[in-house]
Amino acid sequence: MSVANDTVHDRIERARIELSPVQLTAVLGFVAAVGFLLLFVQEPLVHDSMHNLRHAAGITCH
């Protein structure tokens, strides 16, 4: 796998090297869309489902 002290900076650098510009654009677009939804969609049902999606993806938020 990877070393224990793998940082976010290391992961971003690895992604920059391994991914094509089209793939990077798609990833950034997806992250921007999810970020927009999490920040501006406060409908409780949508907000809760996005919260659960983040947990399912392994993102700890609290």
Side-chain angles (χ1 to χ4, degrees):
M1 189 99 200
S2 61
V3 291
N5 60 356
D6 190 24
T7 64
V8 172
H9 184 273
D10 295 335
R11 292 176 189 171
I12 292 171
E13 185 63 26
R14 188 175 337 122
R16 189 183 65 78
I17 292 169
E18 294 177 0
L19 297 176
S20 72
V22 173
Q23 289 171 319
L24 285 174
T25 302
V27 168
L28 290 175
F30 178 75
V31 169
V34 169
F36 175 82
L37 286 174
L38 290 174
L39 286 174
F40 296 109
V41 176
Q42 293 300 315
E43 169 65 33
L45 193 59
V46 175
H47 183 80
D48 288 345
S49 67
M50 290 301 295
H51 183 86
N52 293 338
L53 176 70
R54 288 186 0 219
H55 281 290
I59 300 169
T60 304
C61 59
H62 47 81

